[in-house]
Amino acid sequence: MITMSDRKVYIGLVVGFGKDNDAFSVDNETFFFLPIKSGYRNKYDLRVCVTTDYSSAINNANELDDIQIILNKKSIVSACKFDDSRFKSFDKSPQFFKAN
């Protein structure tokens, strides 16, 4: 899961680095990403809100190149391993104060 500086969130796989002739250059500032899900971080509490699931598009695509996107490494704020079952287990309602 990658969080970008504009609070957009992409969940998926890095499939390559660079562009054009530098397609797999780690030094390049861009990389190819295959999104499986995407969304944003809520501006109030930064919780991840998934808005798009690309699963059916991936299953129906002739080539994954049609779905992959190019992102800039300089725009990444954070990156972490994503576990869908753990993500679904979180309580979505904010609990600022617990009632006794």
Side-chain angles (χ1 to χ4, degrees), residues 5-6 9 12-13 16 18 21-22 34 48 50-52 62 66-67 71 75 79 81 84 86 91-92 96:
S5 59
D6 59 0
V9 172
L13 305 166
N21 294 334
D22 296 329
L34 178 63
V48 174
V50 175
T51 58
T52 307
N62 291 332
D66 298 338
I67 300 168
L71 299 174
S75 299
K81 180 180 175 185
D84 197 46
R86 181 170 289 174
D91 182 6
K92 302 294 186 212
F96 300 107

mmCIF file of all heavy atoms in Angstrom, residues 5-6 9 12-13 16 18 21-22 34 48 50-52 62 66-67 71 75 79 81 84 86 91-92 96:
data_model
loop_
_atom_site.group_PDB
_atom_site.id
_atom_site.type_symbol
_atom_site.label_atom_id
_atom_site.label_comp_id
_atom_site.label_asym_id
_atom_site.label_seq_id
_atom_site.Cartn_x
_atom_site.Cartn_y
_atom_site.Cartn_z
ATOM 1 N N SER A 5 1.569 11.997 -1.626
ATOM 2 C CA SER A 5 1.516 13.305 -0.963
ATOM 3 C C SER A 5 0.158 13.988 -1.095
ATOM 4 O O SER A 5 -0.184 14.836 -0.282
ATOM 5 C CB SER A 5 2.622 14.222 -1.504
ATOM 6 O OG SER A 5 2.479 14.391 -2.900
ATOM 7 N N ASP A 6 -0.640 13.613 -2.077
ATOM 8 C CA ASP A 6 -1.977 14.187 -2.229
ATOM 9 C C ASP A 6 -3.045 13.373 -1.494
ATOM 10 O O ASP A 6 -4.229 13.556 -1.714
ATOM 11 C CB ASP A 6 -2.343 14.338 -3.706
ATOM 12 C CG ASP A 6 -2.331 13.028 -4.465
ATOM 13 O OD1 ASP A 6 -2.031 11.966 -3.861
ATOM 14 O OD2 ASP A 6 -2.606 13.046 -5.675
ATOM 15 N N VAL A 9 -4.270 6.776 -2.156
ATOM 16 C CA VAL A 9 -3.722 5.510 -1.700
ATOM 17 C C VAL A 9 -3.853 4.493 -2.824
ATOM 18 O O VAL A 9 -4.913 4.387 -3.450
ATOM 19 C CB VAL A 9 -4.473 5.009 -0.444
ATOM 20 C CG1 VAL A 9 -4.038 3.612 -0.070
ATOM 21 C CG2 VAL A 9 -4.271 5.965 0.708
ATOM 22 N N GLY A 12 -1.436 -2.468 -4.405
ATOM 23 C CA GLY A 12 -1.145 -3.298 -5.567
ATOM 24 C C GLY A 12 0.303 -3.723 -5.591
ATOM 25 O O GLY A 12 0.925 -3.937 -4.551
ATOM 26 N N LEU A 13 0.851 -3.818 -6.803
ATOM 27 C CA LEU A 13 2.192 -4.365 -7.008
ATOM 28 C C LEU A 13 3.049 -3.432 -7.849
ATOM 29 O O LEU A 13 2.584 -2.911 -8.867
ATOM 30 C CB LEU A 13 2.100 -5.711 -7.739
ATOM 31 C CG LEU A 13 1.221 -6.768 -7.090
ATOM 32 C CD1 LEU A 13 0.961 -7.894 -8.065
ATOM 33 C CD2 LEU A 13 1.873 -7.281 -5.835
ATOM 34 N N GLY A 16 7.671 -2.474 -12.239
ATOM 35 C CA GLY A 16 8.869 -2.046 -12.944
ATOM 36 C C GLY A 16 9.240 -0.633 -12.564
ATOM 37 O O GLY A 16 8.459 0.089 -11.948
ATOM 38 N N GLY A 18 11.213 3.165 -13.850
ATOM 39 C CA GLY A 18 11.610 3.999 -14.962
ATOM 40 C C GLY A 18 10.553 4.098 -16.038
ATOM 41 O O GLY A 18 9.407 3.721 -15.858
ATOM 42 N N ASN A 21 13.390 4.022 -22.300
ATOM 43 C CA ASN A 21 14.550 3.145 -22.401
ATOM 44 C C ASN A 21 15.091 2.711 -21.039
ATOM 45 O O ASN A 21 15.862 1.777 -20.940
ATOM 46 C CB ASN A 21 15.675 3.831 -23.196
ATOM 47 C CG ASN A 21 15.268 4.043 -24.634
ATOM 48 O OD1 ASN A 21 14.434 3.313 -25.169
ATOM 49 N ND2 ASN A 21 15.849 5.050 -25.276
ATOM 50 N N ASP A 22 14.722 3.409 -19.983
ATOM 51 C CA ASP A 22 15.181 3.077 -18.634
ATOM 52 C C ASP A 22 14.120 2.280 -17.893
ATOM 53 O O ASP A 22 13.909 2.465 -16.701
ATOM 54 C CB ASP A 22 15.483 4.350 -17.844
ATOM 55 C CG ASP A 22 16.628 5.148 -18.438
ATOM 56 O OD1 ASP A 22 17.522 4.519 -19.020
ATOM 57 O OD2 ASP A 22 16.616 6.375 -18.308
ATOM 58 N N LEU A 34 0.800 -1.704 -10.602
ATOM 59 C CA LEU A 34 -0.455 -2.351 -10.971
ATOM 60 C C LEU A 34 -1.414 -2.217 -9.794
ATOM 61 O O LEU A 34 -1.258 -2.903 -8.791
ATOM 62 C CB LEU A 34 -0.234 -3.820 -11.317
ATOM 63 C CG LEU A 34 -1.486 -4.615 -11.686
ATOM 64 C CD1 LEU A 34 -2.127 -4.060 -12.953
ATOM 65 C CD2 LEU A 34 -1.149 -6.080 -11.848
ATOM 66 N N VAL A 48 -7.725 4.993 5.851
ATOM 67 C CA VAL A 48 -7.765 4.640 4.434
ATOM 68 C C VAL A 48 -9.206 4.358 4.020
ATOM 69 O O VAL A 48 -9.901 3.571 4.657
ATOM 70 C CB VAL A 48 -6.884 3.403 4.156
ATOM 71 C CG1 VAL A 48 -7.035 2.938 2.721
ATOM 72 C CG2 VAL A 48 -5.429 3.706 4.482
ATOM 73 N N VAL A 50 -11.129 2.994 0.780
ATOM 74 C CA VAL A 50 -10.985 2.368 -0.532
ATOM 75 C C VAL A 50 -12.214 2.718 -1.366
ATOM 76 O O VAL A 50 -13.347 2.513 -0.941
ATOM 77 C CB VAL A 50 -10.834 0.837 -0.399
ATOM 78 C CG1 VAL A 50 -10.819 0.174 -1.763
ATOM 79 C CG2 VAL A 50 -9.572 0.498 0.374
ATOM 80 N N THR A 51 -11.981 3.277 -2.552
ATOM 81 C CA THR A 51 -13.084 3.690 -3.424
ATOM 82 C C THR A 51 -13.168 2.881 -4.712
ATOM 83 O O THR A 51 -14.222 2.845 -5.332
ATOM 84 C CB THR A 51 -12.951 5.179 -3.792
ATOM 85 O OG1 THR A 51 -11.687 5.385 -4.429
ATOM 86 C CG2 THR A 51 -13.049 6.058 -2.551
ATOM 87 N N THR A 52 -12.064 2.260 -5.125
ATOM 88 C CA THR A 52 -12.046 1.553 -6.405
ATOM 89 C C THR A 52 -11.385 0.192 -6.247
ATOM 90 O O THR A 52 -10.316 0.084 -5.657
ATOM 91 C CB THR A 52 -11.271 2.362 -7.463
ATOM 92 O OG1 THR A 52 -11.809 3.687 -7.513
ATOM 93 C CG2 THR A 52 -11.389 1.732 -8.838
ATOM 94 N N ASN A 62 -6.936 -7.585 -21.535
ATOM 95 C CA ASN A 62 -6.126 -8.349 -22.479
ATOM 96 C C ASN A 62 -4.661 -8.302 -22.069
ATOM 97 O O ASN A 62 -3.940 -9.275 -22.197
ATOM 98 C CB ASN A 62 -6.289 -7.802 -23.894
ATOM 99 C CG ASN A 62 -7.676 -8.068 -24.432
ATOM 100 O OD1 ASN A 62 -8.316 -9.027 -24.041
ATOM 101 N ND2 ASN A 62 -8.144 -7.197 -25.307
ATOM 102 N N ASP A 66 -2.471 -2.188 -19.863
ATOM 103 C CA ASP A 66 -3.608 -1.285 -20.008
ATOM 104 C C ASP A 66 -4.082 -0.733 -18.666
ATOM 105 O O ASP A 66 -4.743 0.299 -18.614
ATOM 106 C CB ASP A 66 -4.783 -2.000 -20.675
ATOM 107 C CG ASP A 66 -4.456 -2.470 -22.086
ATOM 108 O OD1 ASP A 66 -3.524 -1.912 -22.696
ATOM 109 O OD2 ASP A 66 -5.136 -3.391 -22.565
ATOM 110 N N ILE A 67 -3.756 -1.416 -17.583
ATOM 111 C CA ILE A 67 -4.248 -1.034 -16.265
ATOM 112 C C ILE A 67 -3.168 -0.382 -15.411
ATOM 113 O O ILE A 67 -3.449 0.461 -14.572
ATOM 114 C CB ILE A 67 -4.821 -2.269 -15.535
ATOM 115 C CG1 ILE A 67 -5.970 -2.848 -16.354
ATOM 116 C CG2 ILE A 67 -5.299 -1.930 -14.142
ATOM 117 C CD1 ILE A 67 -6.422 -4.197 -15.892
ATOM 118 N N LEU A 71 3.842 6.107 -11.353
ATOM 119 C CA LEU A 71 3.874 6.982 -10.191
ATOM 120 C C LEU A 71 5.283 7.531 -10.002
ATOM 121 O O LEU A 71 6.254 6.929 -10.455
ATOM 122 C CB LEU A 71 3.453 6.217 -8.931
ATOM 123 C CG LEU A 71 2.035 5.644 -8.941
ATOM 124 C CD1 LEU A 71 1.806 4.785 -7.705
ATOM 125 C CD2 LEU A 71 1.010 6.757 -9.003
ATOM 126 N N SER A 75 6.761 11.462 -4.714
ATOM 127 C CA SER A 75 5.443 11.781 -4.167
ATOM 128 C C SER A 75 4.987 10.804 -3.090
ATOM 129 O O SER A 75 3.914 10.982 -2.512
ATOM 130 C CB SER A 75 4.410 11.801 -5.301
ATOM 131 O OG SER A 75 4.744 12.787 -6.242
ATOM 132 N N ALA A 79 4.824 3.763 2.627
ATOM 133 C CA ALA A 79 4.555 2.501 1.945
ATOM 134 C C ALA A 79 4.619 1.389 2.979
ATOM 135 O O ALA A 79 5.446 1.420 3.886
ATOM 136 C CB ALA A 79 5.573 2.258 0.838
ATOM 137 N N LYS A 81 3.292 -3.059 3.740
ATOM 138 C CA LYS A 81 2.645 -4.283 3.279
ATOM 139 C C LYS A 81 1.160 -4.185 3.613
ATOM 140 O O LYS A 81 0.793 -3.765 4.711
ATOM 141 C CB LYS A 81 3.274 -5.492 3.970
ATOM 142 C CG LYS A 81 2.677 -6.799 3.547
ATOM 143 C CD LYS A 81 3.354 -7.944 4.277
ATOM 144 C CE LYS A 81 2.643 -9.239 3.930
ATOM 145 N NZ LYS A 81 3.188 -10.358 4.690
ATOM 146 N N ASP A 84 -5.310 -7.588 3.409
ATOM 147 C CA ASP A 84 -6.732 -7.299 3.205
ATOM 148 C C ASP A 84 -7.593 -7.802 4.367
ATOM 149 O O ASP A 84 -8.500 -7.104 4.811
ATOM 150 C CB ASP A 84 -7.222 -7.907 1.886
ATOM 151 C CG ASP A 84 -8.530 -7.310 1.428
ATOM 152 O OD1 ASP A 84 -8.667 -6.069 1.459
ATOM 153 O OD2 ASP A 84 -9.429 -8.087 1.042
ATOM 154 N N ARG A 86 -6.737 -8.230 7.506
ATOM 155 C CA ARG A 86 -6.500 -7.367 8.667
ATOM 156 C C ARG A 86 -7.176 -6.011 8.463
ATOM 157 O O ARG A 86 -7.766 -5.459 9.387
ATOM 158 C CB ARG A 86 -5.013 -7.185 8.908
ATOM 159 C CG ARG A 86 -4.737 -6.310 10.129
ATOM 160 C CD ARG A 86 -3.304 -6.327 10.513
ATOM 161 N NE ARG A 86 -3.027 -7.646 11.065
ATOM 162 C CZ ARG A 86 -1.823 -8.069 11.403
ATOM 163 N NH1 ARG A 86 -0.783 -7.288 11.244
ATOM 164 N NH2 ARG A 86 -1.643 -9.263 11.894
ATOM 165 N N ASP A 91 -12.217 -1.763 13.067
ATOM 166 C CA ASP A 91 -13.496 -1.094 13.296
ATOM 167 C C ASP A 91 -13.441 0.236 12.559
ATOM 168 O O ASP A 91 -12.542 1.034 12.788
ATOM 169 C CB ASP A 91 -13.707 -0.885 14.795
ATOM 170 C CG ASP A 91 -15.037 -0.238 15.112
ATOM 171 O OD1 ASP A 91 -15.856 -0.047 14.196
ATOM 172 O OD2 ASP A 91 -15.251 0.062 16.288
ATOM 173 N N LYS A 92 -14.400 0.482 11.707
ATOM 174 C CA LYS A 92 -14.384 1.691 10.880
ATOM 175 C C LYS A 92 -14.851 2.943 11.624
ATOM 176 O O LYS A 92 -14.633 4.045 11.173
ATOM 177 C CB LYS A 92 -15.262 1.506 9.630
ATOM 178 C CG LYS A 92 -14.857 0.343 8.766
ATOM 179 C CD LYS A 92 -13.523 0.536 8.134
ATOM 180 C CE LYS A 92 -13.243 -0.586 7.186
ATOM 181 N NZ LYS A 92 -11.895 -0.944 7.051
ATOM 182 N N PHE A 96 -13.011 8.103 19.884
ATOM 183 C CA PHE A 96 -12.191 9.078 20.546
ATOM 184 C C PHE A 96 -12.256 8.939 22.068
ATOM 185 O O PHE A 96 -11.296 9.127 22.767
ATOM 186 C CB PHE A 96 -12.600 10.494 20.128
ATOM 187 C CG PHE A 96 -12.459 10.722 18.656
ATOM 188 C CD1 PHE A 96 -13.572 10.798 17.832
ATOM 189 C CD2 PHE A 96 -11.205 10.806 18.075
ATOM 190 C CE1 PHE A 96 -13.438 10.993 16.478
ATOM 191 C CE2 PHE A 96 -11.061 11.001 16.714
ATOM 192 C CZ PHE A 96 -12.190 11.095 15.927
#
